[in-house]
Amino acid sequence: MFEGLPMREVSRGMAPQVMVDPGTVFRKCHINILLLFAGICAMCYLDRTNLAFASMQLTKDLNFTAETYGLGAGLFYLGYSLSMIPSQLMLMKLGANVWLGIIVMAWGACATAFCVLSSITQFYVLRFLLGVAESGAFPGMWFQLYQFYPLHDITVPFSVLEVAVNVANVLAAPLAGLLLMLDGIAGLRGWQWLFVAEGAPSIALGLLTFLLLPNTVQRADWLTSAEKKWLANKVEMSKSDQMNVADALSNRTLIWDAITSMRVWWMTGMALLKNIASNAVIFWCPIIVHALINKEKELNNAAQAVQEAGASVHHTTNVWAGGDKDGASNQQARRAVMLTALPFAGAALFALWLGHRSQKCNERSLHLAMPYFVASILFASLPRLAAISTVWAFVALCVVVACVQGSNSIINSFIPLVSKNSQCVPVSMALYNSVANLGGLIGPWLVGEVVHRSGSYDDALKFLGVVMGISAAMAFATRSWDQKSAALGERVKRAMDNANQDSFTHMLDESLEL
């Protein structure tokens, strides 16, 4: 996975040469950092998206409309975007282990607090606060990965995090089904059990993060002294002129360079559009799946389908507890929840394959543009496919989810390559995440509004198709940037393998002029 020949690390003075095996070093990083981060990613998305399944009971109990549900789901991303940069500054001040530990425990407590939800105001406030708490998680993990992995080897670790997210989405449906069936035990509704059971483990995970995560390579007790020196040198050579993140975020020149970078804004706009579609799919997928398997309803009769689906937003029946008279409707709702896992299972496999292939080919643009283009066509075709065949429509939905969700690691790894200079990378990443994640506010809210006003998924799906079509065109337009970066990347990698710092620095300066 991480290529490179064993290198000799010569310590200062007359100490003998020490052989370091790169495979062993990165394997230790995988076990001690990537596995922990994968767990954080999984719990992050479980606590972020379990609302989609809790809504099967919650919206009926609290009389939430489609507009209320869509806006509440999206408010998470408003808090998320507004808190992104402050959270990154706190991470730099307190250290990754302390700050990541705090925010994981904080979002776990906030997610658990949803079990006492009783009003629309509380719903909006808790979703906003959950976004604030989670805002620093992914930027913090990305920053730590850059401390332990060279830039040219970063795509696969990013892909592992995306796989963890997609695995969480796969497990979310059956896990939610089991928890919702606890309805009535200890006087709690099923949706209350869902929030407690998925929120409390995050608190424990935050404590583990505080205890186990090293802030720097030098503090990684699971590496030998020679391995620490070799890895620190390897990472440093890949970003030799990158400034400390805290200094970068407080440097007016670097901030100005970031916000005036056309390439950074181009990638940010592309990610914003992609996130509109991505989050619309995440929060409305159970409803769409139910509509697809409901043999008596057409996909474009969304108002009636949603009302009876039990997956979200109107006067739904309790499909998990007994007592509902419409057994057939209950069975369809159960099938909808379970089938929701399949699209995200495909996305997890696709993300791993696509990220590996992108890094192997040293190419990003087409690995973004092609999946986005396929998603665009299938989004717009879903209503017609549903009218022809439920099975083919569901297959198309699985492909859509894979194409939209499976390419996140590639677009995220693009930002360091398009920043004006490597010192701007922390600011560019913060800007990128803050703006791009507003798509999470727009997507769910917009679908809810369109469904409520038009009574049809038709217009919403066509709009998402247009959004992904624009994203595909924008991804294809970055091909010239990607080709130049790939060519220089190969030369940089060879220079690093030869431990030729002067050659590396010269080529890095050259790359900044592209």
Side-chain angles (χ1 to χ4, degrees):
M1 181 179 295
F2 291 88
E3 300 176 354
L5 298 174
M7 296 179 62
R8 293 182 182 273
E9 176 66 32
V10 183
S11 60
R12 295 178 181 178
M14 300 302 294
Q17 294 180 336
V18 179
M19 289 295 295
V20 173
D21 179 17
T24 300
V25 175
F26 288 122
R27 194 176 304 114
K28 291 180 179 180
C29 293
H30 300 343
I31 295 172
N32 292 279
I33 295 179
L34 266 187
L35 284 182
L36 176 63
F37 283 179
I40 293 175
C41 288
M43 292 310 303
C44 177
Y45 265 73
L46 281 179
D47 290 333
R48 181 185 304 189
T49 62
N50 56 13
L51 175 65
F53 302 103
S55 65
M56 299 185 69
Q57 294 175 351
L58 182 151
T59 51
K60 178 188 175 184
D61 290 352
L62 302 182
N63 296 315
F64 287 175
T65 65
E67 297 151 300
T68 298
Y69 170 73
L71 179 58
L75 277 175
F76 168 94
Y77 293 94
L78 180 61
Y80 192 91
S81 295
L82 291 176
S83 304
M84 184 78 65
I85 293 179
S87 185
Q88 184 80 330
L89 289 173
M90 287 300 296
L91 180 139
M92 297 308 304
K93 182 177 181 180
L94 300 179
N97 65 326
V98 174
W99 185 241
L100 281 176
I102 289 174
I103 63 178
V104 174
M105 287 188 283
W107 95 51
C110 188
T112 306
F114 273 83
C115 71
V116 297
L117 188 65
S118 62
S119 69
I120 293 177
T121 300
Q122 291 176 355
F123 178 52
Y124 289 161
V125 170
L126 282 175
R127 285 295 293 178
F128 180 83
L129 291 178
L130 184 63
V132 171
E134 288 195 16
S135 63
F138 276 89
M141 288 187 287
W142 292 339
F143 172 75
Q144 279 303 96
L145 289 179
Y146 279 117
Q147 308 310 302
F148 285 85
Y149 293 93
L151 284 177
H152 59 268
D153 286 330
I154 204 68
T155 302
V156 169
F158 275 24
S159 297
V160 171
L161 300 191
E162 288 304 320
V163 169
V165 168
N166 285 297
V167 169
N169 284 325
V170 172
L171 299 178
L175 179 60
L178 293 174
L179 293 173
L180 289 171
M181 287 193 289
L182 298 177
D183 187 61
I185 296 178
L188 296 178
R189 292 282 281 148
W191 61 268
Q192 293 175 304
W193 277 112
L194 176 59
F195 287 124
V196 171
E198 293 186 356
S202 293
I203 300 176
L205 184 60
L207 181 60
L208 285 177
T209 302
F210 174 75
L211 296 175
L212 301 178
L213 181 65
N215 281 333
T216 65
V217 171
Q218 298 304 326
R219 295 187 180 183
D221 296 334
W222 30 268
L223 292 174
T224 67
S225 297
E227 289 171 339
K228 290 177 183 178
K229 292 179 181 178
W230 179 86
L231 183 58
N233 182 63
K234 187 86 168 177
V235 171
E236 186 63 25
M237 287 180 66
S238 74
K239 53 174 186 177
S240 62
D241 70 335
Q242 183 168 314
M243 183 178 289
N244 177 279
V245 174
D247 293 338
L249 293 177
S250 59
N251 186 303
R252 292 184 179 181
T253 300
L254 295 183
I255 293 175
W256 178 252
D257 285 343
I259 64 177
T260 56
S261 171
M262 182 273 290
R263 294 184 179 185
V264 170
W265 279 108
W266 186 271
M267 299 303 300
T268 300
M270 182 169 64
L272 173 68
L273 294 173
K274 188 273 299 180
N275 284 340
I276 289 175
S278 174
N279 287 282
V281 166
I282 288 174
F283 286 100
W284 290 88
C285 194
I287 308 166
I288 296 174
V289 171
H290 184 278
L292 287 175
I293 67 174
N294 188 338
K295 300 297 184 180
E296 298 176 357
K297 308 296 178 193
E298 295 292 336
L299 182 64
N300 60 3
N301 188 8
Q304 187 175 2
V306 170
Q307 181 176 0
E308 297 183 9
S312 175
V313 293
H314 288 300
H315 303 295
T316 61
T317 57
N318 180 3
V319 298
W320 293 102
D324 183 75
K325 296 180 180 179
D326 190 356
S329 177
N330 290 349
Q331 185 178 8
Q332 287 181 356
R334 293 188 188 99
R335 289 174 60 198
V337 170
M338 296 304 177
L339 285 173
T340 301
L342 295 181
F344 293 102
L349 296 175
F350 184 68
L352 190 59
W353 175 81
L354 191 68
H356 179 75
R357 189 179 189 280
S358 173
Q359 181 165 300
K360 182 179 179 181
C361 299
N362 201 13
E363 200 283 331
R364 291 174 173 81
S365 297
L366 293 181
H367 285 79
L368 289 175
M370 293 308 297
Y372 289 175
F373 178 74
V374 172
S376 172
I377 298 299
L378 293 180
F379 260 131
S381 303
L382 269 175
R384 185 175 297 275
L385 287 173
I388 298 172
S389 168
T390 299
V391 173
W392 282 111
F394 181 72
V395 170
L397 179 64
C398 291
V399 175
V400 164
V401 173
C403 290
V404 174
Q405 294 289 110
S407 57
N408 290 340
S409 62
I410 299 176
I411 191 172
N412 291 338
S413 66
F414 224 131
I415 297 301
L417 300 179
V418 299
S419 297
K420 282 189 174 181
N421 55 67
S422 62
Q423 292 181 338
C424 286
V425 170
V427 185
S428 299
M429 289 293 288
L431 172 65
Y432 164 80
N433 281 290
S434 297
V435 177
N437 277 289
L438 289 175
L441 169 64
I442 299 171
W445 166 77
L446 187 61
V447 171
E449 283 290 323
V450 173
V451 169
H452 180 79
R453 295 180 182 276
S454 69
S456 173
Y457 284 123
D458 233 358
D459 293 339
L461 291 171
K462 289 178 180 178
F463 171 77
L464 295 178
V466 171
V467 164
M468 290 308 301
I470 298 173
S471 296
M474 294 179 71
F476 187 80
T478 65
R479 197 175 181 193
S480 61
W481 309 343
D482 191 34
Q483 289 172 338
K484 293 177 181 178
S485 297
L488 280 168
E490 287 297 322
R491 295 170 58 195
V492 168
K493 187 174 180 179
R494 288 195 298 269
M496 291 174 64
D497 289 340
N498 294 328
N500 188 338
Q501 179 67 46
D502 292 337
S503 175
F504 170 74
T505 302
H506 172 74
M507 284 182 286
L508 184 61
D509 291 339
E510 180 184 347
S511 70
L512 301 182
E513 299 174 0
L514 293 177

